[in-house]
Amino acid sequence: MNIIPFLRSFTILFLSCVTIITRFDWCFSSITSSSFSLNAVGGGHFSFDETSLRNAAKDFGNRFQYQPIAVMNPESVSDIANTIKHVWLMGPTSHLTVAARGHAHSLQGQAQAPNGIVINMESLKLPGMHLHLGADSDSDSDSYSDSPYVDVSGGELWINILHETLRFGLTPRSWTDYLHLTVGGTLSNAGVSGQAFRHGPQISNVQQLEIVTGTGQVVNCSKDENGELFHSVLGGLGQFGIITRARILLEPAPTMVKWIRVLYSDFTAFTRDQEKLISSENNNAFDYIEGFVIINRTGLLNNWRSTFNPQDPIQANQFKSDGRTLFCLELAKYFNPQDIDFVNEEVEKHLSYLHYIESTLFLTEVTYVEFLDRVHVSELKLRSKGLWDVPHPWLNLFVPRSNIHKFAEVVFGNILTETSNGPVLIYPVNKSKWDNRSSVVTPDEEVFYLVGILASAVGDSSGNDGIEHIEGENRRILEYCERNNLGVKQYLPHYNTQEEWKAHFGPKWESFLQRKSVYDPLAILAPGQRIFQKAINFS
Ligand code: FAD
């Protein structure tokens, strides 16, 4: 046996315990022995060094920084369960809270635990991803009878799941636009992208979960077993338990993608076409449907078409926006090379009834991985220019179909003046593909739009690209929606008071409260969402 690593880890453990005693003494009574057993049983460890604590206080939003007093790096589910059980057993005399931290791509400190414990989910190792190939290759079937699936850790990145499942010719069905996010992080919200119109969000494509609740219990759940916990956790903003394992539904993977962009200057024609494409009659026309808004008052079109080939290069080069607001419909059709003739015919057929500006048809062919991982390419470019780690005052909204025109007129016409410091996404989804029993809140209409105003604050704080200006625009948008009762709901929501949360959840608030009292009665979990405050009672 090599004694050196053993001694090293023993020393780290010993130092950790000393630190725990000095830093937790005001609230943590018997941590010394418990931390030893935690390490011995599960293999994970706590970090207390300044760098770890500082990192745990960072996120993609880059606006909120609250340090925890410890970071737990779990190696097994029992590390997480033991940590939470200790905090639970300390009862309401302790201030300690616990936040799961996925890839920390939250926008407003949602994965932070001020003076609490952050659990670094990416260090959770399950013994490999377990794949079930299934007998049912009918990918469009909503019956989960024997669909293929993969069991993954809650701390796994979606990009890794993609690569692993592709080795077996399979792929998850529903995605986010960016894949360097964890399973637990996106399932705690919803996970929405251009496939959601057909398959629903990612939370509609999960068959089973393993959860550590706010009392430290490890529970398996699905629609049929512990269904209340299953539905609570999906879209539950981390409030009811930590997702340690998820069973994700798969379908056969294509190898190639036809990726298409066309422009509209007429918002009505744009949304009419988007809605036509997600309707049940045309549901198979494309595999991915999104869109974005281009506002550029100077008339200079930026790189909306970079890397794309125009159908008619001469006409395309002459196309100018003339300062108009434009709407870009973005489509993708998956295929395998042997089916190319059929796919070309299908694409042509479906493009033929759309009403875009003819000279603006841009088309390219890329591999399936290149398509799904497309935002990572932008990330690398932005990183090389130092523009990735800037503040991101993003605003994501679900807007009911009946009010999307009013919304667009004011927001794209009057409030937003430029979209050059980040994309403005807009695309419709079908509510019937969302399970109303989950915790996520959506508008009360069969079709609603995701509008993502994804600005980066790059300039000095008060300039047009600065944080104050962008936050001001966001406030005006929210106030406008509120004043005019547009029935808009925030996605990746952020509020400051419980009254606002109550209004956000509307009729779902009572059941949200009830679920909280059952699964996390002391309000230990995900304090960074600022929905509940741990009740402290020193008596
Ligand atoms: P974190 O930020 O680490 O955590 C988010 C919340 O979930 C926190 O409250 C945390 O405590 C909780 N949590 C984390 N892990 C677990 C777990 N295992 N169990 C329980 N709770 C947990 N969203 C979309 O829907 N569609 C998109 O297309 C999309 N694109 C994005 C692109 C970029 C560049 C970025 C930065 C974000 C995007 N998002 C998108 C938003 C993203 O889905 C959420 O911010 C998500 O929470 C990030 O995942 P994460 O792993 O970084 O989670």
Side-chain angles (χ1 to χ4, degrees):
M1 181 187 166
N2 185 352
I3 195 82
I4 307 270
F6 172 77
L7 281 178
R8 192 181 299 137
S9 45
F10 181 81
T11 313
I12 291 169
L13 270 178
F14 177 75
L15 287 175
S16 298
C17 290
V18 171
T19 326
I20 294 175
I21 294 164
T22 53
R23 302 202 61 161
F24 283 32
D25 51 0
W26 51 276
C27 59
F28 226 42
S29 52
S30 62
I31 189 71
T32 318
S33 57
S34 52
S35 74
F36 269 103
S37 66
L38 187 65
N39 281 277
V41 173
H45 66 279
F46 281 107
S47 302
F48 304 92
D49 58 281
E50 205 47 39
T51 313
S52 304
L53 301 184
R54 222 178 298 123
N55 281 341
K58 285 185 186 159
D59 62 25
F60 181 78
N62 202 355
R63 294 153 73 206
F64 293 75
Q65 277 107 20
Y66 295 106
Q67 280 199 200
I69 54 174
V71 176
M72 143 93 323
N73 301 288
E75 282 201 8
S76 65
V77 175
S78 60
D79 287 337
I80 298 174
N82 286 349
T83 304
I84 296 181
K85 190 164 265 164
H86 279 300
V87 178
W88 158 249
L89 288 176
M90 289 164 70
T93 55
S94 148
H95 287 84
L96 273 189
T97 54
V98 178
R101 181 178 201 261
H103 208 49
H105 276 49
S106 285
L107 299 162
Q108 288 118 334
Q110 285 91 339
Q112 297 173 20
N115 291 319
I117 300 173
V118 162
I119 300 190
N120 171 19
M121 292 303 295
E122 281 190 73
S123 82
L124 173 64
K125 303 277 178 274
L126 293 187
M129 289 187 213
H130 171 73
L131 231 98
H132 170 73
L133 299 179
D136 175 11
S137 60
D138 176 7
S139 60
D140 286 337
S141 164
D142 274 340
S143 136
Y144 298 155
S145 52
D146 193 22
S147 299
Y149 62 75
V150 63
D151 284 333
V152 295
S153 156
E156 194 61 79
L157 292 179
W158 285 98
I159 183 71
N160 297 338
I161 300 174
L162 174 64
H163 287 302
E164 182 63 18
T165 54
L166 281 181
R167 296 200 306 121
F168 299 87
L170 294 167
T171 171
R173 313 164 355 151
S174 184
W175 292 100
T176 45
D177 292 345
Y178 176 65
L179 307 190
H180 299 248
L181 308 169
T182 66
V183 168
T186 68
L187 295 185
S188 297
N189 286 293
V192 197
S193 184
Q195 302 83 4
F197 78 95
R198 180 180 301 151
H199 295 300
Q202 291 181 321
I203 54 171
S204 299
N205 291 272
V206 181
Q207 219 175 24
Q208 227 183 63
L209 296 170
E210 179 189 72
I211 304 296
V212 179
T213 67
T215 58
Q217 267 187 298
V218 183
V219 184
N220 279 311
C221 58
S222 65
K223 276 184 187 160
D224 304 321
E225 182 194 6
N226 299 314
E228 186 68 13
L229 177 61
F230 181 73
H231 292 116
S232 305
V233 165
L234 294 173
L237 306 173
Q239 295 303 304
F240 309 106
I242 294 188
I243 300 167
T244 46
R245 183 180 54 80
R247 177 163 292 177
I248 312 290
L249 290 167
L250 304 175
E251 65 179 3
T255 52
M256 296 295 294
V257 175
K258 273 189 179 288
W259 185 6
I260 298 157
R261 287 180 179 173
V262 289
L263 288 183
Y264 294 72
S265 55
D266 177 8
F267 187 70
T268 303
F270 168 70
T271 49
R272 203 190 294 131
D273 281 355
Q274 279 191 321
E275 288 173 25
K276 189 182 281 180
L277 291 172
I278 68 157
S279 69
S280 51
E281 307 88 77
N282 297 305
N283 196 266
N284 280 325
F286 293 97
D287 297 289
Y288 160 103
I289 298 166
E290 286 202 7
F292 55 92
V293 185
I294 304 169
I295 305 172
N296 192 317
R297 310 274 183 233
T298 61
L300 291 169
L301 275 184
N302 56 15
N303 61 355
W304 69 277
R305 60 196 179 185
S306 63
T307 73
F308 280 73
N309 304 315
Q311 175 93 338
D312 182 339
I314 297 173
Q315 275 206 53
N317 280 337
Q318 286 167 354
F319 180 76
K320 298 257 178 340
S321 81
D322 298 327
R324 287 173 295 176
T325 293
L326 295 171
F327 307 96
C328 178
L329 173 63
E330 182 169 65
L331 305 166
K333 182 82 179 165
Y334 302 160
F335 70 101
N336 290 315
Q338 65 269 25
D339 303 324
I340 185 70
D341 292 340
F342 172 72
V343 167
N344 280 340
E345 271 172 37
E346 278 289 290
V347 166
E348 206 170 307
K349 179 176 95 189
H350 290 292
L351 286 177
S352 71
Y353 56 73
L354 302 181
H355 296 87
Y356 56 89
I357 304 167
E358 239 173 77
S359 59
T360 64
L361 172 58
F362 280 77
L363 200 150
T364 192
E365 280 178 19
V366 289
T367 65
Y368 184 58
V369 173
E370 281 169 335
F371 174 70
L372 288 181
D373 203 21
R374 61 198 178 279
V375 177
H376 188 52
V377 176
S378 310
E379 173 186 354
L380 296 178
K381 279 188 199 155
L382 290 170
R383 275 192 190 283
S384 71
K385 294 180 193 160
L387 294 176
W388 184 255
D389 293 322
V390 298
H392 293 102
W394 287 9
L395 182 64
N396 285 279
L397 302 170
F398 291 139
V399 183
R401 174 184 177 274
S402 61
N403 285 324
I404 194 68
H405 285 80
K406 267 193 209 161
F407 177 92
E409 200 180 318
V410 172
V411 173
F412 307 145
N414 291 335
I415 301 181
L416 297 179
T417 48
E418 267 296 331
T419 54
S420 61
N421 54 359
V424 175
L425 305 181
I426 175 166
Y427 57 93
V429 292
N430 298 307
K431 190 175 169 92
S432 57
K433 302 286 179 185
W434 296 58
D435 190 329
N436 204 29
R437 291 168 293 181
S438 78
S439 293
V440 71
V441 182
T442 59
D444 240 350
E445 283 184 21
E446 171 44 25
V447 172
F448 59 88
Y449 280 77
L450 178 108
V451 178
I453 303 166
L454 312 182
S456 297
V458 289
D460 71 70
S461 65
S462 55
N464 266 8
D465 293 339
I467 186 88
E468 283 169 22
H469 180 80
I470 299 168
E471 283 180 341
E473 285 180 339
N474 290 348
R475 257 194 314 277
R476 282 176 66 199
I477 294 169
L478 289 171
E479 279 162 15
Y480 166 72
C481 295
E482 181 75 22
R483 229 184 9 259
N484 292 279
N485 288 323
L486 295 194
V488 166
K489 292 292 175 189
Q490 280 193 39
Y491 177 53
L492 311 173
H494 170 72
Y495 298 103
N496 293 313
T497 66
Q498 203 174 68
E499 276 312 299
E500 290 173 314
W501 279 111
K502 222 167 150 176
H504 169 78
F505 282 104
K508 277 192 162 182
W509 174 246
E510 286 306 320
S511 72
F512 198 82
L513 266 184
Q514 161 70 13
R515 287 168 163 185
K516 185 73 176 175
S517 70
V518 174
Y519 301 119
D520 181 23
L522 286 183
I524 288 168
L525 299 175
Q529 298 279 1
R530 297 178 196 83
I531 307 174
F532 299 101
Q533 218 175 356
K534 190 173 179 186
I536 310 297
N537 178 357
F538 289 107
S539 62

